[in-house]
Amino acid sequence: MCVAGSAAAVGVRVAAVGSGPVRAAAAGERRGTAEVVVTGDPLVTHRGARQTVIVRARAEVFGPSGDMGRVRVRVPVLLVAYDERWRTLVPSTRVRVTGKFVPPRGGELLAAVIVVRGPPVAIGEPSRVQRAAEHVRARLRAAVAHLPGDQRAVLPGLVVGDTSGLDRSLTEAFRTAGLTHLLVVSGANLAIVIGAVLGVCGFLGARRRTATLVAVGAVLVFVVVVRPEPSVLRATVMGLIGLLALLSGRQRQGVPALCAAVVVLVLLDPALARSYGFALSVLATAGLLVLAPPWRERLRRRLPAPLADAVAVAAAAQLAVAPLLVTLSGELGVLAIVANLLAAPAVAPATILGAIAAVTALVALPVAQVIAWPAGLAVGWIAGVARTTAALPYATLPWPAGLPGAAAALAACVAAVLILRHRALLVLASATLAGVAVAVLLLRAVSPGWPPPGWLLVACDVGQGDALVLATGVAGQAVVVDTGPDPHPVDGCLRRLNVRTVPLLVLTHPHADHTGGVRGVRSGRSVHTVLTTPRSGARDGRDTGGLIRHGSHPGQTWRIGALTLTVLAPRIDGPPLTVATDGTTINDASIVLLARHPRFSALLTGDLEDDAQRALTPHVPPVDVLKVPHHGSKTQHAPFLAATRAPLALVSAGRDNDYGHPAPTTLTLLRSLHMRVHRTDQQGDLAIVPARPGLVVVTRR
């Protein structure tokens, strides 16, 4: 009956979202005005030169544009805004929005996506609870402001789920290392808080009932501070079930409780039925309930109890979520269990001290800053584990995505369990793995290190963006073309290449994924001159203060050491590029460089799209290496690519990017032109190295 009632309720909610005036406006892609209530923290992303703010909200009043009629509705919507002021909104704020209503993609339970121009128009204040929560979060950010970058970014996320300070490289490192769960509020956070409160109550001699009431109050305050959103409530319920069942030893009661919680939560919020985060939380909790207890008992026969518990919990949770993770990412994290074991000792101290700092900051900020210092050290260890693990070779292995990958991962998990149960199979598997490990180590020992000797050009793995480094033949010196979206990845790439001097920095066009990392290039290095597209105006001037600036023009030549750079485009001047200029026009204003060196030649194309490629095709010479335009997007002119006659094609793109780069049609086209395609999203940094005969590509990953 309960399941049938849940299904009926879900059906009603789905029908309400899939019909009505808001969905009708989205289906016709019409403009309209709505009064919405913000339901989640704004999420900031970067798309090209624009900063995009994604806001989840609930529409309560709707009226088509130009129509005086208003109707009452209650449906979830997603706001896509470009004004930075949207990122300051606090959940429960009522806002009036006017924009274009478009249908949601991917089957998400939304009535519409509203593309909004201009700043938010608030028509109501946040609730007192949300104002109080935001005040606590702001004071915590102030308390950690003096800490080093990684510590300052991670501590608020670990304590209250505030990830606003994280950069892309650190987020990616946590993902690769399998530590992303530490950056979101989970049942583990709640268990730490409850344990600390009960410990203090016990130390003070409080009775069990009193201690329980205090712990319940602490839970309520905790949920308020980290936002009482459905995701937080779900994580709290799941974590409590799993951890309390483990602590009490009542695993049999835990599984029915988990099933009941799933039914109730989906009934309250049907969108969870399509949430990967919800599915991962359920699977991890199930792993803790079903797999961890027997594994813990077996491990305790050979290991100290604390270590046995840690290994059992980490392994059970990771094994339970592995089939779904490979479905999403197409990768298998092989070092996640090790990373979690290394990070685990620092989680509780960082969480407890961070929570104390957050409370103390409300009344004494200087004292809170002192308390935050040791918490920062613990968080620094966790961030260091994430970055170190992510940088190791084979931290993740390619794996089939989708259902085939999930089936293969599930089969591997079953095989692992069977192997652990039979001594003969365990010995055979251990010997096989030892042989593979020795072979890998020998391969790494005889293969060139990084950077490979004699490298000529390196495409840095900076995520969804471009950053190219060209050797000049002078030790410690290189030309840099574009900088990627963030300072840290390009800085790391240049440090690995031992680049200390940059005589020329080329910013092909003013999009953030090409210019956002300028500070990283300048970090600890001497940068002399910046070359920009002649139409950029002041758009790419951020972080280039004090440097000599030159505008490019066709035929312009730069000779630096053994390297010669010739500007081929943009060939036609036009009005200055502004914030209102569309993305295609900005892409087509990219500087196109012909790089020549005694050992190779390369065509560096920025984000040039098909129309500009068509105009430039008669002027394209044959080269050895092609930097594929616009991250391998589908907007390619086949004769332009063919004119390069390049045997090697480099694609710079971010893993799991939102744009689908590189496009399958472009990859097919490049291969049909007999080009060997190499991609930063799959292979990491790509180095062009001379060989006999020709050139080879050495990858860092």
Side-chain angles (χ1 to χ4, degrees), residues 457-460 466-469 600 602-606 624-632 646-653 662 667 670 675-681 683-688 696-699:
L457 182 152
V458 172
C460 298
D466 271 8
L468 305 170
V469 186
F600 87 115
L603 186 66
L604 313 180
T605 58
D624 300 312
V625 180
L626 168 67
K627 200 292 293 186
V628 180
H630 200 194
H631 319 291
L648 294 174
L650 306 182
V651 178
S652 182
L667 295 176
L670 294 170
M675 296 185 187
R676 299 196 304 275
V677 180
H678 296 272
R679 301 166 48 174
T680 60
D681 61 329
Q683 300 169 290
D685 296 344
L686 307 173
I688 302 296
V696 296
V697 176
V698 177
T699 67

Side-chain angles (χ1 to χ4, degrees), residues 243-270:
L243 292 169
L244 290 178
L246 279 176
L247 291 174
S248 65
R250 298 179 179 179
Q251 292 83 23
R252 293 183 179 179
Q253 287 78 15
V255 173
L258 173 63
C259 296
V262 171
V263 172
V264 172
L265 288 170
V266 172
L267 176 63
L268 295 175
D269 185 4

